[in-house]
Amino acid sequence: MFEQASDAIFLINPYTGALLDFNNNACESLGYTRDELKRMTIMDIASLECPCLTKRHMRKILVTGSDTFEAKRRTKSGEELDVRVTVRVIKIGSKRFLQSSARDITAEKGAAIGLKESEEQFRNLSEQSPNMIFINQGGRVVYANKRCEEIMGYSRKEFCSPTFNFMVLVAPEHHAVTAENFRKHATGKDGAPYEYVIVTKDGARIPAIISTKLIRYEGQPAILGIVTDLTDLKRAEAGLREAAFALREQKKTLEEKNTALKEVLAQIEAEKLAIKRQVTANVEKFILPLLHKMKSKAGAADRRQLDLLESNVRDLTSGFGIRIGGGPTALSARETEISSMIKNGLSSKEIAQLLQVSLRTVDTYRNRLRKKLGISRKGINLFTHLKTLS
């Protein structure tokens, strides 16, 4: 009788609930054989209502003529199926029966529950987001998170009003790019994120970046939008630009100062060189001729001292005096005197005689000189090293 139907079809006694007839789909979906179902009532497979409620429901349908509702059916294995049931009263001869058509909606219900859970999870995450998140469906805002309210100044009721035009949130100069993005979505395409300016309820302009994506919301196509306020970022960028400009100016100033300093140092070096040349000229002109005359009339011992004096005078304009007279290795007056004698080839004995000190004292000064000049353990000849400092 019902074999062509794709749903589970039952012919039911409205007074006792007995299953009088049914199609193969009913047997297969519930897992019973035909003989087993013939010995059962609708109350045996209905798991949502208690038997008394099921009987009352059948009596009500006898009065109303039909009913459609969702219910649960229990299979032979104990599994529960979600079904959408349509029941109507039919007459066979003079008697009335109930014809029940049950469609399995278990998968549909599961998908609906999953979708609902997914949407609830989305809402929970969205409400905690630091970004503004909205859903636009058919040109209308159907969802706006708490952050949208906080930043934009509109209530959710205002956002989701059928008369609310979301374009009032977009600065006029960005209407074209926003409209173009919506046109792309209308053809099933996603658009790239872009920067724009949004306008709050009180007219404040906020730089932002928006990212949109096509989604399904409550079973229908929609656009999910995520808007990030760039105010702090733009402020930071402006600060960085100002800092970079200040650094460039400082660098320029330092370069100018360095140039000026180099010029000053060059002038000082030129003046030092001029002084050195003047001193050298004066020594050559006034002092050395006098020393030469004195040496020509002096004895051997005095001539030796005059030679040493001449060497010291020449060192006045050489690098020797500078190198041993300054810095961490600066020599004392006596050390400078002895180092000059050594450089001019005097032996320790000659130095001792000229200074009227013992040979041991001269050796002590030699060791001290080697240590101060950094050659105490390098096997370098002191005389040779002093020569390199001239």
Side-chain angles (χ1 to χ4, degrees):
M1 177 177 180
F2 315 117
E3 292 308 324
Q4 300 302 317
S6 59
D7 298 335
I9 308 295
F10 298 90
L11 185 65
I12 305 169
N13 185 319
Y15 305 103
T16 64
L19 303 178
L20 304 174
D21 197 5
F22 34 81
N23 63 357
N24 288 335
N25 196 305
C27 297
E28 292 171 2
S29 62
L30 295 173
Y32 291 101
T33 65
R34 298 188 71 85
D35 288 339
E36 288 173 325
L37 279 179
K38 284 181 180 179
R39 295 193 296 269
M40 298 172 67
T41 69
I42 192 66
M43 287 78 80
D44 294 326
I45 61 174
S47 62
L48 192 62
E49 297 177 327
C50 65
C52 60
L53 290 177
T54 301
K55 289 179 179 180
R56 188 183 303 169
H57 196 178
M58 288 190 293
R59 287 196 297 271
K60 181 180 178 181
I61 295 172
L62 283 174
V63 175
T64 60
S66 66
D67 193 12
T68 298
F69 55 92
E70 290 187 6
K72 286 186 179 290
R73 294 287 183 260
R74 185 182 296 108
T75 66
K76 184 177 181 180
S77 64
E79 179 186 0
E80 286 190 338
L81 302 178
D82 289 293
V83 293
R84 184 176 292 111
V85 182
T86 298
V87 182
R88 65 189 181 95
V89 178
I90 63 171
K91 276 189 174 183
I92 301 178
S94 60
K95 294 183 179 180
R96 292 192 301 170
F97 301 91
L98 297 181
Q99 180 182 306
S100 169
S101 173
R103 175 166 296 179
D104 188 347
I105 59 170
T106 304
E108 181 182 326
K109 291 277 285 187
I113 292 171
L115 178 62
K116 184 178 180 180
E117 290 176 350
S118 177
E119 289 179 354
E120 286 178 356
Q121 185 179 26
F122 161 76
R123 288 177 183 271
N124 290 335
L125 292 173
S126 174
E127 292 305 313
Q128 299 173 29
S129 174
N131 297 318
M132 290 174 276
I133 297 177
F134 68 87
I135 295 175
N136 187 301
Q137 195 169 56
R140 278 188 52 208
V141 176
V142 294
Y143 169 77
N145 71 347
K146 183 179 179 182
R147 195 65 173 150
C148 288
E149 292 183 296
E150 293 172 347
I151 294 179
M152 301 305 293
Y154 293 93
S155 67
R156 296 192 203 206
K157 185 177 180 180
E158 288 175 302
F159 276 123
C160 298
S161 169
T163 60
F164 183 78
N165 180 8
F166 72 93
M167 290 299 280
V168 302
L169 306 174
V170 182
E173 64 269 26
H174 296 290
H175 279 187
V177 67
T178 302
E180 176 60 25
N181 197 57
F182 269 79
R183 280 194 290 271
K184 283 184 179 179
H185 287 315
T187 60
K189 298 177 182 178
D190 280 326
Y194 59 93
E195 290 189 24
Y196 70 150
V197 174
I198 53 179
V199 182
T200 67
K201 189 175 183 179
D202 60 8
R205 292 168 60 91
I206 299 175
I209 184 169
I210 182 171
S211 175
T212 56
K213 186 173 182 62
L214 283 171
I215 62 167
R216 294 192 71 80
Y217 181 72
E218 295 183 348
Q220 297 298 321
I223 298 170
L224 171 68
I226 301 175
V227 181
T228 303
D229 184 349
L230 298 181
T231 302
D232 291 340
L233 178 61
K234 294 294 183 181
R235 188 179 294 121
E237 288 178 348
L240 286 174
R241 285 194 296 270
E242 290 174 3
F245 177 77
L247 284 174
R248 286 195 297 271
E249 290 299 306
Q250 289 177 6
K251 181 182 178 183
K252 182 179 178 181
T253 301
L254 286 174
E255 288 174 348
E256 291 173 352
K257 289 181 177 179
N258 285 338
T259 300
L261 181 59
K262 287 177 181 178
E263 291 174 356
V264 171
L265 291 175
Q267 183 64 31
I268 291 173
E269 288 298 322
E271 291 175 358
K272 284 169 61 178
L273 182 59
I275 292 171
K276 180 178 178 180
R277 287 172 178 169
Q278 186 63 45
V279 171
T280 301
N282 289 338
V283 167
E284 294 285 347
K285 186 175 181 180
F286 300 109
I287 298 177
L288 292 182
L290 182 59
L291 282 175
H292 292 159
K293 287 181 181 180
M294 291 173 65
K295 282 197 295 184
S296 65
K297 296 178 180 180
D302 291 336
R303 190 179 298 112
R304 186 60 166 157
Q305 289 189 348
L306 289 171
D307 287 339
L308 183 60
L309 177 60
E310 180 181 351
S311 176
N312 289 340
V313 168
R314 292 185 183 279
D315 284 341
L316 288 174
T317 57
S318 72
F320 180 76
I322 296 172
R323 290 188 177 92
I324 67 172
T329 61
L331 305 182
S332 66
R334 176 63 83 176
E335 290 169 345
T336 300
E337 184 181 18
I338 292 174
S339 66
S340 179
M341 291 179 177
I342 295 171
K343 182 177 74 72
N344 285 287
L346 274 67
S347 65
S348 294
K349 184 177 179 181
E350 289 174 320
I351 294 171
Q353 289 174 350
L354 287 172
L355 298 179
Q356 295 183 347
V357 296
S358 66
L359 279 172
R360 184 175 180 181
T361 299
V362 175
D363 288 338
T364 299
Y365 274 108
R366 278 180 171 272
N367 291 332
R368 193 179 299 168
L369 286 169
R370 294 180 66 84
K371 185 176 181 181
K372 281 194 173 185
L373 296 173
I375 60 170
S376 58
R377 296 183 179 180
K378 295 185 178 180
I380 298 174
N381 183 273
L382 182 57
F383 166 76
T384 303
H385 183 69
L386 291 172
K387 280 290 188 182
T388 64
L389 301 179
S390 298

